[in-house]
Amino acid sequence: MKQTTSLARQVLQALLDEVTLSPKPGLVDLRSRGAHTDLNWALMCHSACALQPVFQAMADAGAAIGDDDALRQRIGAIGREGEAVMMAATGGVNTHRGAIWALGLLVTAAAQLQERGDSLAPTAVAARAGALARLTDRSAPGETGNKGQLACRQYQVGGARGQALAGFPHVIEVGLPALRAARARGDNPTTARLNALLAIIASLDDTCVLSRGGVAALLAVQAGAARVLAAGGAGTLAGTEALLALETKMLELHVSPGGAADLLAATLFLDSLAMGEQHGKA
């Protein structure tokens, strides 16, 4: 099996693990649609599977194209093709636009580093992805009309693009440390992932929340996630009660932390790369 095929499969697994993780406040999971009316677990899984060849194409480009500018133009084109694939698979529903951007950059960077024989440590992959993101995609439309872009402009936040340009700080500095700390204290995989998600939600200016509910909703969501963590996390009785209260609040506000969900998927992908590298050295 080609190494790039393995990388694309790891991206798919990260997306499936993210959507299957339950109970997630406001988000699609195995129990419910969350705050969405047009999404469900089966549709999200169908979309993720349809996108695997897109991530494969990005990984192939990362392994084959040595010039960074040429690579940036190529993966930008693949990403736009990927959005069309997603829309065709879902009947016009945006399931993974943010994930195509974030995980597309990360899988490209991982393939490039792998081809060079370099480390796939999360910090290295995120830094390489950030360097690619900072290159100009000359064929990208200036105005997309997407809710995320509009929210970035209205509320003066970085959004998904800002995360990529900065080398995914909420993955490297928030998601991964929270995931590893939860594991170290004995949390099971589900609880560890939930606590990583909550850590991201608690500090992220999530454009998905802002676009639906504005600043007041964002502050309520961030404070609610922080309360779950302060109560001991999703694995404790008090934390579970705080998590259910947060979910109730999100449903009342009709908001969903989709940006945090994308960054959790990115966290899970980079974690799988790191664990694979450690296993290879063992």
Side-chain angles (χ1 to χ4, degrees):
M1 182 175 64
K2 290 196 303 183
Q3 290 180 316
T4 54
T5 301
S6 176
L7 291 173
R9 286 183 177 178
Q10 285 173 278
V11 171
L12 172 60
Q13 190 62 56
L15 291 173
L16 295 176
D17 286 344
E18 182 280 314
V19 73
T20 301
L21 181 65
S22 304
K24 296 195 300 294
L27 291 160
V28 174
D29 60 20
L30 278 174
R31 307 164 308 142
S32 75
R33 298 170 179 262
H36 298 276
T37 58
D38 56 352
L39 300 177
N40 57 57
W41 178 82
L43 184 68
M44 295 291 289
C45 292
H46 177 62
S47 171
C49 292
L51 287 170
Q52 184 178 353
V54 175
F55 294 116
Q56 173 80 60
M58 289 183 173
D60 288 342
I65 302 174
D67 178 78
D68 278 358
D69 179 70
L71 176 59
R72 182 68 186 89
Q73 307 318 308
R74 179 65 187 131
I75 62 171
I78 295 170
R80 287 184 287 279
E81 293 164 5
E83 286 199 19
V85 168
M86 173 190 74
M87 291 298 191
T90 63
V93 179
N94 171 25
T95 45
H96 287 111
R97 182 177 287 125
I100 293 170
W101 165 251
L103 286 157
L105 285 165
L106 290 167
V107 77
T108 301
Q112 191 178 53
L113 292 174
Q114 191 173 63
E115 181 66 19
R116 295 174 180 176
D118 293 340
S119 170
L120 294 186
T123 51
V125 177
R128 184 89 283 275
L132 290 171
R134 290 189 291 272
L135 297 174
T136 301
D137 178 359
R138 291 186 292 277
S139 297
E143 294 292 330
T144 64
N146 295 338
K147 291 180 180 178
Q149 186 183 68
L150 296 175
C152 287
R153 184 177 299 124
Q154 182 176 354
Y155 298 105
Q156 296 297 295
V157 297
R161 178 173 173 77
Q163 279 288 313
L165 294 175
F168 297 96
H170 268 74
V171 174
I172 298 300
E173 300 168 17
V174 180
L176 278 166
L179 182 67
R180 290 168 176 173
R183 279 194 196 127
R185 73 183 182 194
D187 286 353
N188 64 42
T190 294
T191 302
R193 290 169 177 175
L194 283 172
N195 286 331
L197 173 65
L198 289 161
I200 295 169
I201 293 172
S203 58
L204 181 69
D205 292 331
D206 197 315
T207 56
C208 293
V209 175
L210 284 168
S211 66
R212 285 185 175 214
V215 174
L218 177 67
L219 293 176
V221 166
Q222 289 176 332
R227 280 193 289 272
V228 180
L229 296 172
T236 67
L237 179 59
T240 298
E241 291 174 350
L243 179 60
L244 294 175
L246 173 60
E247 178 173 54
T248 298
K249 184 65 174 178
M250 284 191 182
L251 295 180
E252 288 175 357
L253 295 170
H254 302 291
V255 296
S256 178
D262 290 337
L263 293 177
L264 176 64
T267 296
L268 298 178
F269 173 60
L270 291 186
D271 182 61
S272 73
L273 293 181
M275 292 180 72
E277 194 162 58
Q278 291 170 6
H279 180 73
K281 292 176 180 177

